């Protein structure tokens, strides 16, 4: 004989305190909720609309430079400290919590071409048009002490970029060639070159720290290994590459900022044991307007932000070909440098009208401490938006962005040019012998050659 017994747990319906909400049991049987999907769709539509209503990403403007902001660097140990270098040779250290400048240094004569912080955060390095590499203390000088660099290295040519090793007292500079320096020496311990054009950017890999890459003005991307005396591989593209940045979470992936309105993404480098290297080319083209100057990965490695000459910054997921956000203001001019903060919450950009702007990484995110009910409601709305993201009405609202007229006109012009190129290729293929005009994938159109 079977006996069914009702069993109730007081924890499921009794309040712990008088301030708690009364817990109501609910039956999740879908047969008892015939209108659940229409209700959830309405909630998702309202959540998407409210997200666009509260999308106010701009936080503040850090002004104080007397010339255009040319480069920026993040403090490796402090989230609230950012360094910036201007075109008049001035370097400023900012406190993002107070949103004000805490220190100003006249570092160089002419442009500050590049800057980077030491891996321990005790000092930072700058290079400029006066052919010098200078190391400065991160802390302000004592009372009565003069503002002087710790070390100064006088080079033979102008240095256009600098980057520090992530674990050792070694840094790399670029210009006429790539030089590897020891902090205790005044001459490079290793010089690497491949070609005769100037090199605009050099970056160390944050995971495989012996690997570094550089971009040259002759449209090359070159990979180097500090343990070898020669470069490893060179990729030649159709257009010049301005800068590159390694993915902080995936050691063998980096993205390059190109001048043909594209981001050349997901170039993979595979390792065999410790010395041998080989290259996989897996290019994904992301359309932009105005050639790219700078860009940076988020700390999670899932998104990156680009700075362009179209007076805007864009945020891209790494696995998609369209930006999820476009940030711009009426005053902002050509954006020269951009950085993503290490806590994954803010974006900093510097432009040539002497301002550094602070943005939210998520435009509609609420800043400050959230109550548990607020967090639960946000997570619920996010899941609803993901569930109905492909519905036409919700997709239209979520993707709509107000753009300046100049960018809108450039989009239209680029669309016409792209359609003309496609039509020309179809006509060539139609009036040629079968097979004489091969089909070339979009990922390989922009690659000229790979040189070993």
């Amino acid at each position: 004989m079977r006996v069914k017994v009702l069993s109730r747990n007081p924890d499921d319906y009794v309040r712990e305190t008088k301030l708690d909400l009364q817990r109501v049991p609910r039956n999740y049987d879908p047969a008892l909720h015939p209108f659940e999907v229409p209700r959830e769709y309405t909630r998702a539509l309202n959540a998407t609309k409210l997200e666009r209503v509260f999308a106010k990403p701009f936080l503040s403007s850090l002004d104080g430079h007397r010339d255009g902001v040319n480069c920026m660097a993040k403090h490796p140990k402090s989230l609230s400290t950012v360094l910036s270098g201007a075109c008049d040779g001035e370097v400023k250290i900012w406190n993002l919590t107070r949103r004000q400048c805490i220190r100003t240094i006249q570092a160089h004569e002419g442009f500050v071409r590049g800057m980077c912080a030491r891996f321990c955060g005790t000092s930072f390095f700058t290079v400029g048009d006066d052919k010098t590499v200078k190391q400065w203390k991160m802390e302000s000088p004592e009372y009565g002490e003069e503002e002087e660099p710790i070390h100064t290295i006088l080079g033979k040519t102008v240095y256009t970029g600098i980057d520090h090793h992530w674990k050792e007292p070694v840094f790399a500079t670029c210009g006429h060639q790539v030089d590897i320096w020891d902090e205790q020496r005044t001459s490079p311990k290793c010089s690497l070159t491949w070609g005769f054009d100037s090199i605009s950017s050099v970056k160390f890999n944050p995971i495989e720290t012996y690997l570094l890459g550089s971009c040259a003005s002759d449209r090359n991307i070159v990979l180097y290994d500090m343990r070898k005396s020669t470069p490893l591989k060179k990729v030649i593209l159709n257009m010049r590459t301005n800068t590159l940045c390694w993915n902080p979470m995936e050691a063998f992936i980096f993205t390059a900022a190109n001048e043909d309105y594209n981001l050349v993404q997901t170039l993979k480098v595979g390792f065999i044991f410790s010395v041998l290297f080989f290259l996989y080319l897996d290019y994904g083209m992301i359309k932009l307007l105005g050639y790219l100057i700078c860009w940076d990965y988020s700390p999670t490695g899932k998104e990156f932000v680009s700075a362009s000459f179209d007076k805007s910054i864009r945020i891209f997921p790494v696995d998609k070909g369209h930006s999820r956000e476009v940030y711009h203001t009426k005053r902002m001019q050509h954006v020269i440098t951009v950085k993503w903060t290490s806590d994954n919450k803010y974006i900093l950009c510097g432009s040539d009208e002497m301002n550094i702007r602070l943005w939210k990484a998520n435009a509609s995110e609420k800043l400050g401490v959230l109550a548990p009910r607020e967090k639960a409601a946000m997570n619920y709305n996010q899941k609803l938006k993901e569930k109905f993201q492909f519905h036409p009405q919700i997709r239209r609202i979520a993707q709509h962005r107000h753009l300046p007229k100049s960018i809108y006109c450039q989009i239209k012009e680029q669309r016409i040019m792209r359609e003309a190129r496609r039509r020309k290729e179809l006509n060539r293929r139609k009036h040629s012998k079968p097979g004489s005009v091969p089909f070339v994938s979009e990922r390989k159109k922009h690659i000229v050659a790979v040189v070993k």
Side-chain angles (χ1 to χ4, degrees), residues 262-280:
N262 293 298
L263 281 180
V264 184
Q265 192 197 5
T266 60
L267 195 153
K268 299 182 181 179
V269 184
F271 285 72
I272 304 177
F273 303 112
S274 60
V275 179
L276 300 179
F277 296 81
F278 58 96
L279 202 64
Y280 294 104

Side-chain angles (χ1 to χ4, degrees), residues 175-192:
H176 180 67
Q177 60 189 6
V178 174
D179 294 324
I180 310 296
W181 303 78
D182 193 321
E183 291 183 6
Q184 305 301 324
R185 299 176 58 183
T186 58
S187 59
K189 67 176 187 179
C190 179
S191 296
L192 304 170

Side-chain angles (χ1 to χ4, degrees), residues 287-420:
K287 300 298 179 183
L288 286 173
L289 303 169
Y291 66 88
L292 290 163
I293 299 299
C294 182
W295 72 278
D296 192 26
Y297 264 105
S298 68
T300 60
K302 296 181 179 180
E303 293 180 323
F304 56 85
V305 58
S306 67
S308 175
F309 248 42
D310 61 359
K311 305 176 184 179
S312 68
I313 61 174
R314 295 168 183 256
I315 302 175
F316 292 91
V318 294
D319 56 347
K320 296 182 181 179
H322 296 278
S323 60
R324 70 166 177 85
E325 291 291 348
V326 182
Y327 294 163
H328 58 88
T329 65
K330 291 183 178 180
R331 278 196 62 195
M332 189 162 68
Q333 298 301 311
H334 304 313
V335 187
I336 301 175
T337 179
V338 66
K339 289 293 179 183
W340 203 309
T341 57
S342 299
D343 59 354
N344 199 32
K345 284 186 174 295
Y346 306 102
I347 293 171
L348 290 155
C349 71
S351 51
D352 58 5
E353 92 288 349
M354 305 177 288
N355 276 346
I356 298 173
R357 288 177 173 81
L358 182 64
W359 309 82
K360 290 191 287 187
N362 294 317
S364 59
E365 182 182 10
K366 183 180 178 181
L367 301 180
V369 180
L370 297 179
R373 291 183 64 190
E374 285 182 305
K375 290 183 180 179
M378 288 175 57
N379 294 334
Y380 178 64
N381 290 334
Q382 184 63 31
K383 290 299 181 181
L384 287 179
K385 287 184 288 186
E386 292 176 2
K387 180 177 180 180
F388 295 95
Q389 61 181 334
F390 298 110
H391 192 278
Q393 188 74 358
I394 293 179
R395 185 177 182 182
R396 181 187 64 83
I397 297 172
Q399 292 183 350
H400 177 72
R401 297 293 182 276
H402 290 286
L403 296 177
K405 186 177 180 181
S406 59
I407 296 181
Y408 183 80
C409 294
Q410 289 178 30
I411 291 175
K412 186 177 180 180
E413 183 179 356
Q414 288 293 320
R415 188 183 299 117
I416 294 172
M417 293 167 61
R418 193 161 53 247
E419 181 63 27

Side-chain angles (χ1 to χ4, degrees), residues 125-145:
F125 295 81
T126 61
V127 294
D129 281 352
D130 53 1
K131 303 180 183 179
T132 58
V133 181
K134 296 184 180 181
Q135 182 182 5
W136 306 83
K137 288 183 179 179
M138 191 67 72
E139 299 295 332
S140 300
E142 300 293 335
Y143 179 76
E145 186 180 354

Side-chain angles (χ1 to χ4, degrees), residues 15 25 46 48 51 107 112 134 149-150 157 171 197 255 270 279 287 296 304 325 341 345 360 379 411 418 427 451-452:
R15 294 184 295 176
N46 292 335
T48 306
E51 181 187 29
V112 180
K134 296 184 180 181
I150 304 173
T157 59
F171 64 93
D197 283 277
T255 303
L279 202 64
K287 300 298 179 183
D296 192 26
F304 56 85
E325 291 291 348
T341 57
K345 284 186 174 295
K360 290 191 287 187
N379 294 334
I411 291 175
R418 193 161 53 247
N427 290 336
V451 185
K452 297 183 181 180

Side-chain angles (χ1 to χ4, degrees), residues 190-252:
C190 179
S191 296
L192 304 170
T193 182
W194 195 342
F196 300 98
D197 283 277
S198 61
I199 300 170
S200 59
S201 176
V202 62
K203 296 290 183 182
F204 276 99
N205 193 314
I207 303 172
E208 294 291 338
T209 53
Y210 288 100
L211 180 66
L212 64 156
S214 69
C215 304
S217 59
D218 56 352
R219 304 172 296 153
N220 293 336
I221 299 175
V222 187
L223 299 178
Y224 309 91
D225 185 5
M226 288 173 54
R227 297 165 293 186
K228 299 181 69 175
S229 59
T230 58
L232 300 174
K233 288 285 181 72
K234 178 167 70 172
V235 182
I236 305 175
L237 304 177
N238 280 331
M239 296 289 286
R240 173 183 167 182
T241 301
N242 292 317
T243 184
L244 61 87
C245 188
W246 296 91
N247 191 318
M249 302 303 290
E250 300 183 53
F252 313 134

